Amino acid sequence: MGISYEFHADATQPGLERLWREATDWGEATLDTLRRWFEVAPFGKPRIVVATDDETGEMVGQFRFMPSRVCVNGEVVRAVRPFGTIVTPAMRDAVKSNNPLQQPAVAMYFRAVDELKAVGEQFIYMVPDPRWMRLFQMLPFLQTGTFPLWSLPLPLAKPYPLGEEGYTFGSLEKWDERVDRLWEKSSRLHGCTVLRDAETLKWKLANGNYETTAIERDGELVGLVASRRKGDRQWLVCDVLAADGREAMRATLAAACNVGHEKSLTAGEGQEAILKVAVLATPLMETVVRDLGFRRDAYDFPLVVHVLDENVPAENVAPARWYVSAND
């Protein structure tokens, strides 16, 4: 099979949704959700590489790249997050090689890299399936790292206190300037973090069934956490914003535990009981989750960074410097 790889600046080429339906088990509901999500993406719609069978003209693969922004040492820079890789069985069967660098998904990725460099994107980041890590670690221009999953059994013996007097928590009522002010404080806790101001985080969380919880102290917003039911009967803590890495971080994660506790007691009809609350923990967070009673779980989240712009020092975006959430 001869295969051509074409880069498109807008992922709305005819036939792409057919490929999604026929070559994946992701489902129509997921496709509809993403379609609506892409329409209001804050930094533009995804770009895409399409693989086409030269003989039949049939689309046999696609790889999407979502424009993003990352705060690096306090400066917001251009970045891209890959996702949505599709390779048809026919394409996999036709490209038989023991060299992983010759696989169709890798060819699509490299085709995109050339174009993304040309339009001024500064680096690529991804939190991929761990099964891809062996391949990524073979490529010397990629920086790789992992973050551990920590978990805590549910239900709790009793809800956690959030800290000293004055702390309260409840559902976030409004995406306003208070969230932006909290983001400014939270963004200083790590060297690198995906932009999470009010507009961007609201858009990100629209693509999922999240509980968004606000933590206040004496009326001031000091924490925000998005969490949801996920996978093997767990309550997964995702995006976390905290005004500091100590008291506010503890109050925010304690609130997330309390939300998970409530959910574990009120499983809906046909739902299995939630048995644990889990969180991806960066080094800054590990002391807090340990103090809350979390223990290391049997999973690691990988992070891969590919610098495209030589003006971005690789050490500035090294994985160890990142805040990553489980839904990145």
Side-chain angles (χ1 to χ4, degrees), residues 21-161:
R21 293 188 184 95
E22 295 178 2
T24 79
D25 59 0
W26 298 339
E28 184 67 29
T30 301
L31 178 57
D32 288 341
T33 299
L34 284 174
R35 190 187 297 117
R36 294 191 298 270
W37 194 55
F38 295 149
E39 288 298 321
V40 294
F43 308 114
K45 297 178 183 179
R47 301 152 179 151
I48 192 166
V49 174
V50 177
T52 305
D53 182 335
D54 291 337
E55 183 176 343
T56 66
E58 180 183 0
M59 292 182 181
V60 292
Q62 61 173 280
F63 204 152
R64 298 181 183 230
F65 296 82
M66 196 74 195
S68 181
R69 297 293 183 270
V70 175
C71 184
V72 180
N73 294 339
E75 178 185 359
V76 176
V77 302
R78 293 167 61 98
V80 176
R81 182 175 68 87
F83 75 102
T85 312
I86 301 175
V87 177
T88 66
M91 185 176 180
R92 286 194 295 269
D93 291 341
V95 182
K96 294 185 181 297
S97 174
N98 292 325
N99 183 353
L101 301 182
Q102 294 179 3
Q103 294 304 313
V106 177
M108 288 190 285
Y109 178 83
F110 281 121
R111 180 68 179 86
V113 165
D114 292 338
E115 297 288 345
L116 295 171
K117 284 183 178 179
V119 298
E121 300 297 353
Q122 294 175 280
F123 65 90
I124 296 170
Y125 71 93
M126 50 186 145
V127 182
D129 188 307
R131 291 173 293 184
W132 286 81
M133 284 300 283
R134 186 175 178 183
L135 168 62
F136 294 139
Q137 289 166 348
M138 295 172 59
L139 304 176
F141 50 84
L142 298 182
Q143 300 185 78
T144 62
T146 58
F147 296 89
L149 181 74
W150 288 65
S151 63
L152 175 71
L154 291 177
L156 304 173
K158 59 181 180 180
Y160 283 132

Side-chain angles (χ1 to χ4, degrees), residues 257-269:
C257 293
N258 290 347
V259 173
H261 170 70
E262 293 171 5
K263 297 296 181 180
S264 73
L265 300 176
T266 57
E269 185 176 350

Side-chain angles (χ1 to χ4, degrees), residues 3-33:
I3 302 172
S4 296
Y5 300 97
E6 296 184 1
F7 182 89
H8 300 274
D10 185 1
T12 57
Q13 306 303 310
L16 293 179
E17 293 189 358
R18 176 195 58 77
L19 191 61
W20 180 296
R21 293 188 184 95
E22 295 178 2
T24 79
D25 59 0
W26 298 339
E28 184 67 29
T30 301
L31 178 57
D32 288 341
T33 299

